[in-house]
Amino acid sequence: GQNIDQPTEMTATEGAIVQINCTYQTSGFNGLFWYQQHAGEAPTFLSYNVLDGLEEKGRFSSFLSRSKGYSYLLLKELQMKDSASYLCAVNQAGTALIFGKGTTLSVSS
Amino acid sequence: GAVVSQHPSWVICKSGTSVKIECRSLDFQATTMFWYRQFPKQSLMLMATSNEGSKATYEQGVEKDKFLINHASLTLSTLTVTSAHPEDSSFYICSARDNTASDTQYFGPGTRLTVL
């Protein structure tokens, strides 16, 4: 079956670094996406990985290991505005993205 | 990133009426769009896949006669909630897949529907 797991909640303080993990078991794989969703708003695209390794984009980085079915999103220099849900999603080519249930990150001062 | 618009952003209607929500990809063509529903503090729930020029594919448990989807062009999909009831009140979000950008799905801003 299809399964994407991520922690339900995480907390961190301003200026810190946080890593949000995602493990997946899907029948197909054609890339992994990370989205950010603030309360009451739609998700916004953060990153995409299709090959193993680290993709860096400013304060955010995303890592993928296809052999381990594992990805993480790394957020550096945390700011209060980073408090949001972070969604891991797997692309299976030709179908809708399969989303995890999301990780709610709370950043405190 | 690409831009997807959704209209209206919020709507309040009486029970029994129908509501149409539009989803447009503004700077790319989308042969495939998706409609999701999200209840407070819950994850996204895929309702249906909208394919340009063909019938939508509905997820299990989603009534196709109640949630009518039309994908009339490569930049527009519409979702009509027919005979709305209070339990249909939710946050409806569309996304459009950009085939030229690794199949990235870009989301519209969402439509908050309240049925009285």
Side-chain angles (χ1 to χ4, degrees), chain A residues 30 33 35 37 40-43 45 48 87 91 93-97 99-101, chain B residues 34 36 38 43-44 46 49 91 93 97 102-110 112:
Chain A
N30 199 41
F33 294 85
Y35 287 84
Q37 185 177 24
E41 298 179 11
F45 169 73
Y48 170 70
L87 308 174
N91 182 21
T95 67
L97 292 180
F99 282 89
K101 294 188 176 180
Chain B
F34 304 92
Y36 295 84
Q38 188 174 37
S43 55
L44 291 169
L46 178 66
T49 301
F91 190 42
I93 313 171
R97 184 162 66 197
S102 306
D103 285 348
T104 301
Q105 280 184 224
Y106 294 99
F107 286 86
R112 193 159 302 283

Side-chain angles (χ1 to χ4, degrees), chain A residues 38-90:
Chain A
H38 283 101
E41 298 179 11
T44 56
F45 169 73
L46 287 179
S47 69
Y48 170 70
N49 293 69
V50 66
L51 299 176
D52 290 351
L54 187 69
E55 293 280 343
E56 296 188 76
K57 197 186 282 188
R59 292 189 300 115
F60 293 3
S61 303
S62 56
F63 171 83
L64 175 67
S65 169
R66 289 172 296 171
S67 62
K68 295 181 180 177
Y70 168 69
S71 173
Y72 68 72
L73 179 70
L74 192 72
L75 293 78
K76 303 176 186 176
E77 300 169 20
L78 279 175
Q79 302 174 10
M80 297 292 284
K81 66 178 182 179
D82 297 329
S83 293
S85 281
Y86 291 86
L87 308 174
C88 171
V90 171

Side-chain angles (χ1 to χ4, degrees), chain B residues 86-100:
Chain B
E87 56 266 30
D88 298 323
S89 298
S90 187
F91 190 42
Y92 290 87
I93 313 171
C94 74
S95 71
R97 184 162 66 197
D98 187 345
N99 300 110
T100 66

Side-chain angles (χ1 to χ4, degrees), chain B residues 8-59:
Chain B
S9 54
W10 60 269
V11 58
I12 301 173
C13 69
K14 291 183 180 179
S15 189
T17 60
S18 294
V19 174
K20 181 189 278 190
I21 303 170
E22 292 186 349
C23 179
R24 294 181 185 271
S25 56
L26 298 186
D27 51 2
F28 67 99
Q29 293 184 329
T31 54
T32 307
M33 293 185 177
F34 304 92
W35 288 96
Y36 295 84
R37 182 164 57 180
Q38 188 174 37
F39 293 104
K41 297 190 178 182
Q42 293 190 21
S43 55
L44 291 169
M45 188 195 85
L46 178 66
M47 298 175 67
T49 301
S50 171
N51 301 297
E52 189 268 337
S54 64
K55 291 183 180 180
T57 305
Y58 290 82
E59 295 299 301

Side-chain angles (χ1 to χ4, degrees), chain A residues 15-32:
Chain A
I17 300 173
V18 71
Q19 178 174 311
I20 303 174
N21 295 323
C22 171
T23 57
Y24 63 90
Q25 292 172 305
T26 56
S27 55
F29 181 83
N30 199 41
L32 186 142

